Amino acid sequence: MQIVIIGSGNVAYHLAKAFVLNNIPLAQIFGRNEEELRKISGELNIPYSTENLNEADLYIICVSDHSVEDVSKMIIRKNCLVAHTSGSLPKEILVGNYRKASLYPLQTFSKSKTLDYSKIPFFIESENDEDRKTLFSIASKISENVMESTHEKRKYIHLTAVFACNFVNHLFTRAKEISDSQEIPFEYFLPLIEETIQKIYEMDPKAAQTGPAVRNDKRVLQLHEQLLKDESLQIYKTMNHSIQKMYEL
Amino acid sequence: MQIVIIGSGNVAYHLAKAFVLNNIPLAQIFGRNEEELRKISGELNIPYSTENLNEADLYIICVSDHSVEDVSKMIIRKNCLVAHTSGSLPKEILVGNYRKASLYPLQTFSKSKTLDYSKIPFFIESENDEDRKTLFSIASKISENVMESTHEKRKYIHLTAVFACNFVNHLFTRAKEISDSQEIPFEYFLPLIEETIQKIYEMDPKAAQTGPAVRNDKRVLQLHEQLLKDESLQIYKTMNHSIQKMYEL
């Protein structure tokens, strides 16, 4: 089975690496950014091209959501399967006379960070049973955690991930901005962050909530607002309002 | 040295437990909530009282910020050291003719969750060198990570902790609310959350940001807003606005 990955970003790189590490041969990695492609090709020993898209049985499109449709039109072969990796797009966004699918890896990918691919949940959607089996079989070589999902469910999975990952990381960024401003090493906060995460393995996060908002400690809330400004102040107010609404304070 | 802990909440419980586990004898645990005190006393084998505060050399006040001042007035002894454990209050909030101090453990405490006390940073503030040494010596029996801090710095440490811990936990709570609403098991998101945390050990969180806002993916942002309402929608908009401001999008 000839497999081609399209894209040269974080998802393309990690998916290509996961394939190679699990002895699933890739016929080609294809994209626009030659510099990135050359790096990936060099590290993973996969042929690359920016111009001639190989004939393949399976194309996996790993590009930004807004480019998926355009990229999908480049695949002119009919008897093949094309899957995108978007958390939000329907498989019908793909434009061509091929069979359409979605293969969504639920993870945050940065090129410079190694990953244990076996733990990544993969969500699959396809037009028919055979394609489903094909994608299951491939994804199962990478991960222990492969499931089916409708487009409707996948949208909510992606949305949940934005809260639990993207926004959490932004809170770390804003937190570090505050501690940096006072020359407080961010390392001090790592045991606290570690514990915050450990708790969700043992407790419902709703029951684990601590801090001035859930204690309705108006004096501290007011003091903190005086220390903040701009976006951090907005975040502070919005989060506290949400906490106080949830606990009916 | 006679040490008394005042309070029966999460901080009082965990601090008392950390003392006992490290063979620092506690003369008493004192508070208002007899039911909680009886539990702690039973588990840790420390005398408790709701009425008669023992004579002691060191009192550690572990009560809500708004009660610290009132509770501090109950200590009528002069030749003793009194420390509160608040992240925000100055040591001068303590009212009495004793020596005043602050002993701030930077951690999130829930009674039902065990903790590795040795990793908890303790921040100490005192009136004089001798008290500083006393508190250092005690805290160092519990933790590898004991430091001095001014009140000014401690306020910012606490504020940073609210972002990096309390708000992060609330994001998990709102995330779980979304996934629960679609009967998506929250366990699916644990590898993603784990990776989000692992990244901050290796990268600056600002460089690790992923997701639709930092990609300026307007289609996805709009789609997600349609799936949300009320406080979660407010959080979504506020966080994305903050991300886009930070990366000048």
Side-chain angles (χ1 to χ4, degrees):
Chain A
M1 184 175 206
Q2 297 276 310
I3 306 174
V4 165
I5 285 184
I6 303 178
S8 60
N10 296 336
V11 178
Y13 166 71
H14 278 288
L15 214 54
K17 192 170 165 186
F19 275 64
V20 169
L21 289 176
N22 289 287
N23 302 311
I24 311 167
L26 288 172
Q28 185 184 47
I29 180 156
F30 180 89
R32 279 178 315 182
N33 187 328
E34 183 153 13
E35 194 185 332
E36 288 298 320
L37 286 176
R38 198 183 305 118
K39 274 194 231 163
I40 300 172
S41 167
E43 179 184 338
L44 303 177
N45 200 20
I46 310 163
Y48 80 88
S49 173
T50 59
E51 288 180 1
N52 300 308
L53 184 61
N54 265 23
E55 291 273 296
D57 306 298
L58 170 63
Y59 296 89
I60 304 174
I61 299 178
C62 311
V63 302
S64 298
D65 279 16
H66 63 267
S67 305
V68 169
E69 186 174 344
D70 279 352
V71 163
S72 77
K73 292 177 185 165
M74 302 170 64
I75 304 164
I76 45 168
R77 189 170 176 183
K78 288 182 185 171
N79 185 22
C80 67
L81 176 61
V82 179
H84 71 63
T85 50
S86 158
S88 299
L89 297 172
K91 63 183 186 309
E92 292 75 21
I93 194 88
L94 301 167
V95 179
N97 285 316
Y98 40 72
R99 298 176 326 272
K100 293 153 191 174
S102 140
L103 175 71
Y104 175 51
L106 178 59
Q107 189 49 281
T108 171
F109 299 100
S110 297
K111 275 190 181 152
S112 61
K113 176 75 181 64
T114 57
L115 271 174
D116 177 1
Y117 301 108
S118 71
K119 302 293 176 205
I120 301 177
F122 278 85
F123 296 93
I124 282 169
E125 196 188 339
S126 65
E127 289 179 0
N128 62 50
D129 245 27
E130 201 186 326
D131 291 342
R132 187 179 57 81
K133 279 180 198 157
T134 302
L135 292 171
F136 252 91
S137 142
I138 292 171
S140 300
K141 286 184 188 166
I142 297 171
S143 167
E144 302 159 1
N145 218 348
V146 184
M147 287 153 286
E148 270 192 288
S149 171
T150 61
H151 174 228
E152 189 61 19
K153 207 162 214 173
R154 180 158 44 83
K155 282 192 291 190
Y156 281 97
I157 293 169
H158 185 217
L159 178 59
T160 305
V162 169
F163 276 71
C165 162
N166 302 151
F167 290 171
V168 164
N169 184 72
H170 186 60
L171 283 180
F172 293 150
T173 311
R174 289 292 181 194
K176 186 166 183 298
E177 190 179 55
I178 297 166
S179 60
D180 283 355
S181 78
Q182 305 297 315
E183 295 175 357
I184 300 159
F186 194 62
E187 287 66 39
Y188 290 180
F189 301 92
L190 294 177
L192 176 69
I193 291 169
E194 205 60 65
E195 173 64 14
T196 305
I197 309 315
Q198 282 313 306
K199 273 188 180 180
I200 59 169
Y201 285 87
E202 298 184 27
M203 304 169 73
D204 193 301
K206 189 169 177 183
Q209 189 64 47
T210 57
V214 75
R215 284 198 311 269
N216 200 15
D217 190 335
K218 293 197 176 65
R219 205 199 57 83
V220 170
L221 295 174
Q222 212 173 3
L223 166 73
H224 283 171
E225 288 190 10
Q226 288 161 8
L227 303 178
L228 293 165
K229 59 180 184 177
D230 301 335
E231 286 75 40
S232 294
L233 178 58
Q234 277 309 314
I235 291 174
Y236 193 80
K237 287 179 173 176
T238 303
M239 294 300 289
N240 286 333
H241 175 74
S242 176
I243 291 170
Q244 299 211 314
K245 271 277 185 179
M246 179 169 270
Y247 298 88
E248 292 170 14
L249 297 168
Chain B
M1 185 175 203
Q2 297 276 309
I3 305 173
V4 165
I5 285 184
I6 303 178
S8 59
N10 297 335
V11 178
Y13 166 72
H14 278 288
L15 215 53
K17 192 171 165 185
F19 276 62
V20 169
L21 288 177
N22 290 286
N23 302 312
I24 311 167
L26 287 173
Q28 184 183 49
I29 181 157
F30 181 88
R32 278 179 314 181
N33 187 329
E34 183 154 12
E35 195 185 332
E36 287 300 320
L37 287 175
R38 197 183 303 120
K39 275 193 231 164
I40 301 173
S41 167
E43 180 184 337
L44 303 176
N45 200 18
I46 311 164
Y48 80 89
S49 173
T50 58
E51 287 180 0
N52 301 306
L53 185 60
N54 265 23
E55 291 273 296
D57 306 297
L58 171 61
Y59 295 89
I60 304 173
I61 299 178
C62 310
V63 302
S64 297
D65 279 16
H66 63 267
S67 305
V68 169
E69 186 175 344
D70 279 351
V71 163
S72 77
K73 292 176 185 166
M74 301 171 63
I75 304 164
I76 46 168
R77 189 169 177 184
K78 288 181 185 170
N79 184 23
C80 68
L81 177 61
V82 180
H84 70 61
T85 50
S86 158
S88 298
L89 296 172
K91 63 184 186 308
E92 292 75 19
I93 192 90
L94 301 167
V95 179
N97 285 314
Y98 41 72
R99 300 180 322 277
K100 292 153 193 175
S102 138
L103 175 71
Y104 174 50
L106 178 60
Q107 188 49 279
T108 171
F109 298 100
S110 296
K111 275 189 183 153
S112 61
K113 176 74 181 65
T114 57
L115 271 173
D116 177 1
Y117 301 109
S118 71
K119 301 294 176 204
I120 301 176
F122 278 85
F123 296 94
I124 282 169
E125 198 188 339
S126 65
E127 290 178 1
N128 61 50
D129 247 27
E130 202 185 323
D131 291 343
R132 187 179 58 78
K133 278 180 198 156
T134 302
L135 291 172
F136 252 91
S137 143
I138 292 170
S140 299
K141 287 184 189 166
I142 297 171
S143 166
E144 302 159 1
N145 217 348
V146 185
M147 288 154 285
E148 270 192 289
S149 171
T150 61
H151 174 227
E152 189 60 19
K153 207 162 213 172
R154 181 158 42 84
K155 281 191 292 191
Y156 281 96
I157 293 169
H158 185 216
L159 178 58
T160 305
V162 169
F163 276 72
C165 162
N166 302 151
F167 290 172
V168 165
N169 183 73
H170 186 59
L171 282 180
F172 293 150
T173 311
R174 288 293 181 194
K176 187 167 182 297
E177 191 179 55
I178 297 166
S179 61
D180 283 355
S181 78
Q182 305 298 315
E183 295 175 356
I184 300 159
F186 195 61
E187 288 66 38
Y188 289 179
F189 302 92
L190 295 177
L192 176 69
I193 291 170
E194 205 60 65
E195 174 64 13
T196 305
I197 308 315
Q198 282 313 306
K199 272 188 178 180
I200 59 169
Y201 285 87
E202 299 183 25
M203 305 171 73
D204 192 301
K206 190 171 175 181
Q209 190 64 49
T210 56
V214 76
R215 285 197 311 268
N216 201 16
D217 190 334
K218 293 196 176 67
R219 207 198 56 83
V220 171
L221 295 175
Q222 213 174 0
L223 167 72
H224 283 170
E225 288 189 9
Q226 288 161 7
L227 303 179
L228 292 165
K229 59 180 185 175
D230 302 335
E231 285 75 39
S232 294
L233 178 58
Q234 277 310 312
I235 291 174
Y236 193 81
K237 287 179 173 176
T238 303
M239 295 299 291
N240 286 333
H241 175 76
S242 175
I243 292 169
Q244 299 212 316
K245 271 276 185 181
M246 177 168 272
Y247 298 88
E248 292 170 13
L249 296 170

